Structures are given as C-alpha cells and as structure tokens.
Amino acid sequence: MKIAGQNYRTIWPDPNNAKVIKVIDQRHLPHQLVIEDLHNVADFARAIKEMHVRGAGLIGATAGYGMYSAGLHAPADRFQESLKADGDRLIATRPTATNLAWAVQRQLDAVRGVSDAAHGMEILYRTATEIADEDAEFCRRIGEHGLAIIRDLSRKKPGEPVNILTHCNAGWLAFVDYGSATAPIYAAHREGIKVHVWVDETRPWLQGAKLTAWELKEEGVPHTLVADNTGGHLMQHGMVDMVIVGTDRTTRSGDVANKIGTYLKALAAKDNGVPFYVALPSSTFDWTISDGVREIPIEQRGGEEICQVCGLTEDGRNEKVQIAPPGTATANYGFDVTPARFITGLISERGICPASEAGIRELFPEKFI
Ligand code: MRU
C-alpha cells in the first residue's frame, strides 16, 4: 500500500544483499518512516518481541524470513538442530498470534530431511517468500469478499457513507500488504463506494491512533479517531453500519483472539444489531483448539506500556512521558477473546462463512478430516 504515494510492503529482502531483510520499524510511525535491516535471528526475535513489527500476518512473515536468516548462520554439520533451536527462540517472542509458530513450522517442514545446507538455504528462502506473497494475496482476496458486504450496505443508504468501526490495526501494517480488516475498506474506497471509518485509538500501544489512522490517511480514506470507549455510544446512535476487526488466533469453532477491547465492541454490536465481522487469512486459524476463552494464550506485556505514553513534542522530538503515579500496579493483557456467538461472519481468502465449526468446515473441509 502507499506511503507518500509510493507502494510499500511491510517486509522485503534487500535487493542489494539477499542476506538482509528490510522491515518498516513501526515504533516510529506515524511521525517518522524508519526502515530497519535485520541480519540474524537475534535481530528478528527482537523486532518481533519489541514490536518493531507486529500484527499476526506480519509476525508470521517475519518469522518465515527469520528462519531463512537462521539457516544462513546455521553450522553445516548441525543444520537441522540449529534451525530447530532458532525456531523455538522465535516462537518464544510472542504467545498469542498463531502465525508465528505456524510460519516456523512451515519452514521446518519444508527442510525436513535436507542435510545439504546450501540446498536447505534455497528452500528456506523460497518458503519465506511464499509465506509473504501468500499473506499479501490472501489479504487481497479478503478485500474482494468483504467488498460485497460493504457494497450491500451502501445500496441501502444511497449517497451516504458506510460507517465502519475497526479496533487496533488489522491494516496493511499488520500484514505484508492490504491488511485483513482494512482490505474490504480499501477495495470499497477504490471502487468509489463512500466509506467512513471510526478508528479506535487502541490503548495502550495505540495501534489505532498511530497506525490505522496513518494508513487510512495515506490511502485517502475518510476516517475519525475515537477514544477506545466511544464505540458503544456510536452504535446506540445508529452511527456504525458494521464492525470489521482482525484476529491473532482463531479456533476451529470460530472464537477469535484480537487486541484487548475487541470483546466489548462485539457485546455492544450485538446489543445494537450492528453486524460484527472478523477478517482473517487462514494462517490465523489454530486448528487444534476449539474453546478460545480457555485455550488461547493471552500475552501479558510490561506495565510501562500503560503507565507511559510516547508521542511527538511540539519541537518535533519523539518522547515518552509518565502518566500514572510511578510504581502503580498494572495488568497489561494484550488480547481478549470474542466468542463465535457474537460474530456475524468470518471473511477469509476463500469467502465468508458463519463463525461456527460447520461454517468453517464448508470453506476448509481438508482441515476437518
Ligand atoms: O499487539 P499487536 O499489534 O501485534 O496486535 C495485533 C493487532 O494489531 C490486532 O490484534 C489486530 O487487530 C489483528 S492482527 C491481524
């Protein structure tokens, strides 16, 4: 998608040095565009853990390239063991987004039984590229499928914008390109359908205020930033036509873990009869679990993310300031689970289905054999 009119992905190999992978360091957005070079597994692990890159799809793509980088540095006589250890190191960085372990496993499966390190390297590079390209393509298709929903809503209010509320950033910055929740919005905007997005600020990391608002601005999509607790009020007053959010892990029965606060938006949507959609590439399914509340691991992050806030000073410096009394006890849960019963539909690369085991089975029968 576009930054200052120029097309970017969130991650790509350095065209001048195939051993280096480039990412947008999202900690500096929206005030500064910083491109970071990742050279080895330690760089990849830090970039994921400290959220230079974030969002389920991008975490997966970064892990894919991280495994390629692991291969570059693996001793030829311990190629497989070294890869496995580096894969475990990457998986340990963040617990909730299932794409991380999925991408590491896909790489390990791709090189299983390969003893020639040079051949292994070719496979790891090819597979990392496939993971990234597939992520972008699946999000593009999510856009096509989700567009039909927005088109229908638009026909019911000719001349008026379709008001869409989204939480956090399931935009292109959370993937390789297009985004999941934003892909239908971008597709509708490109088709000339009037859309307007309510952007939840998304405390504490502020993915909505910093990233989603920036993305939408760069793409010229009308939007309004709101404080996190505003959604219920907007819905009660008929100001939201639909909600679209992303997911970091989805169970086989359609429960989803998404950024903390998503569940409350789903409750408000249910109470107000507002359709609540979740957009996801199939890489965010965890096919092994069914009960999201009991089985999805929820990341807890440091309290400083709640007690402090980072932003641009009047004289143009990016600074962190303390907002809570020093020493305040904190609980910083990164995600919550929205049970399937609150979800109108799942928008995947294969189409839209009910958030239920039966619905998901219709689209992904091979996963239920
Ligand atoms: O903590 P993050 O920023 O990695 O969380 C991911 C998210 O941005 C959201 O939960 C998002 O809505 C889904 S990721 C596709």
Side-chain angles (χ1 to χ4, degrees), residues 122-142:
E122 272 171 41
I123 296 174
L124 290 167
Y125 185 79
R126 193 170 59 236
T127 307
T129 308
E130 275 167 20
I131 290 171
D133 289 349
E134 197 179 279
D135 183 83
E137 172 57 16
F138 284 5
C139 284
R140 193 191 64 74
R141 289 188 210 165
I142 287 168

Side-chain angles (χ1 to χ4, degrees), residues 150-162 192-195 241:
I150 300 178
R151 208 186 270 138
D152 279 357
L153 287 169
S154 171
R155 286 197 186 115
K156 290 181 191 145
K157 46 185 317 203
E160 294 291 311
V162 177
I193 295 172
K194 273 190 174 178
V195 286
D241 296 305

Side-chain angles (χ1 to χ4, degrees), residues 273-318:
V274 174
F276 185 97
Y277 285 94
V278 179
L280 68 155
S282 53
S283 51
T284 65
F285 275 111
D286 180 343
W287 301 104
T288 66
I289 59 172
S290 181
D291 182 336
V293 174
R294 278 190 33 242
E295 297 178 281
I296 297 179
I298 300 295
E299 176 177 17
Q300 291 195 56
R301 298 182 61 82
E304 70 286 352
E305 286 184 356
I306 306 182
C307 292
Q308 301 171 343
V309 71
C310 179
L312 202 64
T313 60
E314 277 180 3
D315 55 355
R317 282 171 298 118
N318 228 340

Side-chain angles (χ1 to χ4, degrees), residues 42-344:
D43 287 351
F44 281 82
R46 191 181 322 105
I48 297 172
K49 191 170 183 58
E50 295 176 5
M51 294 174 64
H52 311 192
V53 294
R54 26 70 48 205
L58 178 56
I59 289 173
T62 307
Y65 280 115
M67 289 299 283
Y68 158 63
S69 184
L72 283 173
H73 300 280
D77 57 338
R78 285 182 43 252
F79 187 67
Q80 292 286 346
E81 300 92 294
S82 176
L83 270 188
K84 172 79 176 75
D86 283 336
D88 289 345
R89 179 173 179 184
L90 289 169
I91 289 172
T93 53
R94 294 196 73 189
T96 301
T98 199
N99 303 59
L100 177 49
W102 167 84
V104 168
Q105 194 55 50
R106 184 160 163 178
Q107 285 286 32
L108 291 174
D109 290 346
V111 290
R112 177 160 302 122
V114 175
S115 52
D116 173 39
H119 180 44
M121 286 313 312
E122 272 171 41
I123 296 174
L124 290 167
Y125 185 79
R126 193 170 59 236
T127 307
T129 308
E130 275 167 20
I131 290 171
D133 289 349
E134 197 179 279
D135 183 83
E137 172 57 16
F138 284 5
C139 284
R140 193 191 64 74
R141 289 188 210 165
I142 287 168
E144 284 180 355
H145 296 301
L147 168 62
I149 302 169
I150 300 178
R151 208 186 270 138
D152 279 357
L153 287 169
S154 171
R155 286 197 186 115
K156 290 181 191 145
K157 46 185 317 203
E160 294 291 311
V162 177
N163 289 301
I164 302 168
L165 183 135
T166 193
H167 190 67
C168 196
N169 174 261
W172 74 271
L173 292 166
F175 290 87
V176 173
D177 213 347
Y178 302 103
S180 59
T182 52
I185 297 169
Y186 290 136
H189 180 66
R190 269 196 301 274
E191 197 175 276
I193 295 172
K194 273 190 174 178
V195 286
H196 165 261
V197 184
W198 295 109
V199 178
D200 283 352
E201 62 172 349
T202 318
R203 287 274 299 150
W205 210 84
L206 300 168
Q207 287 92 334
K210 291 184 172 179
L211 306 178
T212 306
W214 181 73
E215 276 195 23
L216 293 172
K217 178 168 169 266
E218 293 293 317
E219 290 293 325
V221 177
H223 60 280
T224 305
L225 179 65
V226 288
D228 272 344
N229 298 321
T230 311
H233 171 78
L234 296 174
M235 291 186 217
Q236 283 176 328
H237 290 270
M239 295 161 83
V240 181
D241 296 305
M242 72 186 294
V243 179
I244 317 182
V245 295
T247 163
D248 297 83
R249 191 181 292 236
T250 311
T251 70
R252 56 193 282 129
S253 58
D255 295 346
V256 305
N258 194 51
K259 185 52 60 188
I260 191 82
T262 302
Y263 172 50
L264 293 178
K265 295 301 170 320
L267 290 176
K270 185 81 174 176
D271 191 44
N272 290 284
V274 174
F276 185 97
Y277 285 94
V278 179
L280 68 155
S282 53
S283 51
T284 65
F285 275 111
D286 180 343
W287 301 104
T288 66
I289 59 172
S290 181
D291 182 336
V293 174
R294 278 190 33 242
E295 297 178 281
I296 297 179
I298 300 295
E299 176 177 17
Q300 291 195 56
R301 298 182 61 82
E304 70 286 352
E305 286 184 356
I306 306 182
C307 292
Q308 301 171 343
V309 71
C310 179
L312 202 64
T313 60
E314 277 180 3
D315 55 355
R317 282 171 298 118
N318 228 340
E319 267 197 12
K320 218 177 245 179
V321 293
Q322 180 78 13
I323 49 176
T328 301
T330 56
N332 186 7
Y333 294 94
F335 302 89
D336 60 22
V337 172
T338 300
R341 64 183 180 278
F342 297 114
I343 299 169
T344 310

